[in-house]
């Protein structure tokens, strides 16, 4: 169901707060939960003002939601800098123009965990990694890496949340029979790190993390989706090599961007697929409805499926204890909750 808030001058924050209070009355409980935000494809533009209207609007909404939920961190799911990544070093002004000055709310002065997308790989991803040393909140230690957070639930038990962020552009190098010998969506010929060996190294790392995980909530994230009904469609390479790992190791969910749409897909295996790719603008067309399992699409915002005329969107994750579980909320640009997933519960503790 869609929860609406009327957008009136000076009244946006109040209306959004009412919606949030209603939506999180159960999940918030005594406040013993972990909350964070995520958005993909948020990377502004090459020309002044170096951000898009949808990006700026959703950044303001993220600030409101971030304050109300007291979020601990936020995640950038790739295509961090349009249209060709960072051209130069970690001293590029784009870090300030597209990131620092846009996501400037006090509630967003928290760790930011990005991962690269195909547009980032048109430039210098290593500069994005190096910017970690220059920023108080940009935390991008390597091409693929893990985020771990603990919290105490309302039941007094300590819970562990893990997110393993993978570089799906590099991982697609595993597909030797790819028609163009390039990862899908990449429009240049020289991506020296995208080799079968690099892909195998990353895949081996991912399996090791999942196999050894003791997390109560275990997530994987990357730029390319596994499943998508929008114009880019599902990613065959990830269906072939990543999806089996998610199923084998009882992963809670996979989060992604790439398609400028919003989606919740539940294929019945237990793994939830969360796509939030409207960080900059909305929307791509839903032209690949046939590319996902039957009856698995639970929520969609796309061209022609955008009743509230959103320009930019994002998601919030509210992670609770064994009784409340966790939910993912899809927000319109001003913070209004448009859809909430059913609860997902902790993995079995062995």
């Amino acid at each position: 169901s869609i929860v609406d808030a009327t957008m009136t001058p000076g009244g946006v924050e109040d209306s959004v707060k009412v919606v949030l209070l209603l939506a999180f009355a159960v999940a918030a409980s005594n406040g013993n939960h972990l909350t964070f935000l995520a958005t993909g494809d948020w990377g502004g533009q090459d020309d002044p003002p170096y951000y898009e209207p949808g990006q700026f609007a959703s950044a303001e909404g993220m600030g409101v939601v971030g304050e109300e939920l007291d979020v601990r961190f936020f995640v950038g799911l790739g295509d961090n800098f349009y249209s060709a990544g960072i051209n130069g070093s970690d001293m590029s002004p784009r870090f300030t123009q597209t990131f620092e000055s846009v996501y400037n709310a006090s509630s967003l002065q928290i760790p930011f965990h990005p991962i690269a997308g195909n547009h980032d790989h048109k430039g210098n991803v290593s500069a994005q990694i190096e910017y970690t040393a220059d920023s108080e909140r940009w935390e991008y230690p390597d091409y693929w890496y893990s985020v771990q957070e603990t919290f105490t639930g309302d039941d007094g038990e300590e819970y562990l949340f893990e997110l393993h962020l993978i570089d799906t552009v590099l991982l697609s190098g595993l597909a030797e029979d790819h028609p163009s010998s390039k990862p899908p969506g990449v429009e240049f010929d020289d991506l020296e790190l995208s080799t079968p060996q690099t892909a195998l190294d990353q895949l081996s790392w991912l399996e090791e993390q999942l196999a050894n995980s003791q997390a109560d909530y275990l997530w994987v994230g990357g730029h390319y989706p596994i499943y998508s009904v929008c114009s880019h469609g599902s990613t065959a390479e990830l269906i072939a090599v990543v999806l089996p790992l998610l199923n084998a190791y009882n992963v809670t969910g996979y989060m992604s961007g790439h398609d400028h749409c919003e989606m919740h897909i539940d294929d019945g295996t237990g793994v939830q697929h969360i796509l939030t790719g409207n960080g900059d603008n909305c929307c791509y067309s839903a032209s690949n409805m046939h590319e996902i399992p039957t009856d698995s699409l639970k929520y969609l915002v796309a061209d022609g499926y955008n009743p509230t005329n959103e320009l930019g969107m994002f998601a919030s994750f509210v992670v609770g204890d064994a009784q409340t579980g966790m939910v993912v909320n899809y927000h319109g640009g001003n913070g209004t909750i448009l859809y909430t997933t059913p609860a997902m519960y902790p993995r079995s503790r062995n």
Side-chain angles (χ1 to χ4, degrees):
S1 62
I2 295 176
V3 181
D4 193 16
T6 302
M7 191 171 179
T8 57
V12 175
E13 291 196 8
D14 288 342
S15 62
V16 172
K17 286 180 180 179
V18 170
V19 172
L20 291 171
L21 288 171
L22 291 172
F24 295 113
V26 176
S29 177
N30 293 326
N32 295 325
H33 57 284
L34 168 71
T35 55
F36 66 95
L37 305 175
T39 191
D41 305 80
W42 56 272
Q45 58 180 330
D46 290 321
D47 300 316
Y50 303 104
Y51 57 81
E52 292 279 1
Q55 179 198 7
F56 193 82
S58 63
E60 290 189 324
M62 290 172 73
V64 174
V65 174
E67 179 180 359
E68 197 65 30
L69 298 183
D70 191 23
V71 295
R72 195 179 295 186
F73 61 93
F74 62 127
V75 179
L77 291 166
D79 282 0
N80 308 321
F81 298 97
Y82 287 113
S83 58
I86 293 295
N87 181 14
S89 74
D90 57 321
M91 294 292 103
S92 169
R94 286 295 304 278
F95 288 106
T96 297
Q97 295 161 339
T98 302
F99 172 65
E100 302 283 3
S101 65
V102 177
Y103 301 94
N104 58 7
S106 59
S107 64
L108 301 181
Q109 304 309 305
I110 52 178
F112 177 67
H113 302 297
I115 198 70
N118 49 297
H119 283 270
D120 298 304
H121 275 291
K122 295 179 184 181
N124 186 4
V125 175
S126 63
Q128 295 192 37
I129 294 172
E130 291 164 2
Y131 186 65
T132 300
D134 305 324
S135 173
E136 294 184 356
R137 53 182 175 152
W138 182 278
E139 297 188 2
Y140 190 0
D142 211 336
Y143 288 93
W144 53 86
Y145 64 99
S146 300
V147 177
Q148 292 185 328
E149 297 281 350
T150 60
F151 68 97
T152 302
D154 290 334
D155 57 7
E157 296 286 331
E158 185 171 273
Y159 291 84
L160 174 62
F161 172 91
E162 283 184 358
L163 170 61
H164 302 289
L165 289 166
I166 59 176
D167 190 317
T168 54
V169 181
L170 299 182
L171 189 57
S172 295
L174 185 62
E176 296 179 0
D177 60 348
H178 195 276
S180 62
S181 299
K182 297 181 295 185
V186 174
E187 300 169 5
F188 59 92
D189 296 320
D190 185 17
L191 183 59
E192 62 181 29
L193 285 175
S194 185
T195 66
Q197 187 58 56
T198 300
L200 285 169
D201 290 345
Q202 183 177 186
L203 196 65
S204 176
W205 171 87
L206 177 61
E207 182 164 21
E208 181 179 7
Q209 304 310 306
L210 300 181
N212 294 327
S213 177
Q214 298 298 311
D216 299 287
Y217 297 95
L218 180 59
W219 283 77
V220 176
H223 181 60
Y224 292 150
I226 293 175
Y227 292 129
S228 175
V229 303
C230 283
S231 57
H232 285 310
S234 300
T235 309
E237 294 87 348
L238 301 185
I239 291 173
V241 300
V242 173
L243 185 58
L245 296 181
L246 306 187
N247 290 324
Y249 295 108
N250 192 22
V251 170
T252 309
Y254 179 82
M255 64 181 74
S256 66
H258 194 43
D259 263 326
H260 295 195
C261 295
E262 305 287 313
M263 268 171 257
H264 173 212
I265 293 173
D266 180 354
D267 65 0
T269 65
V271 179
Q272 304 300 307
H273 297 261
I274 304 298
L275 190 155
T276 177
N278 286 332
D280 233 16
N281 53 65
C282 176
C283 297
Y284 289 174
S285 65
S287 56
N288 287 295
M289 288 288 195
H290 62 287
E291 287 200 6
I292 65 171
T294 303
D295 297 327
S296 63
L297 182 63
K298 306 305 178 184
Y299 177 67
L300 173 66
V301 175
D303 185 25
Y305 299 85
N306 184 13
T308 52
N309 297 313
E310 301 298 335
L311 293 178
M313 295 183 67
F314 60 95
S316 67
F317 292 67
V318 180
V319 189
D321 60 21
Q323 182 176 353
T324 59
M326 72 170 289
V327 296
V328 181
N329 303 281
Y330 291 80
H331 296 263
N334 71 343
T336 303
I337 297 172
L338 302 179
Y339 171 79
T340 300
T341 66
M344 308 161 221
Y345 293 96
R347 302 160 71 233
S348 299
R349 292 184 172 185
N350 297 324

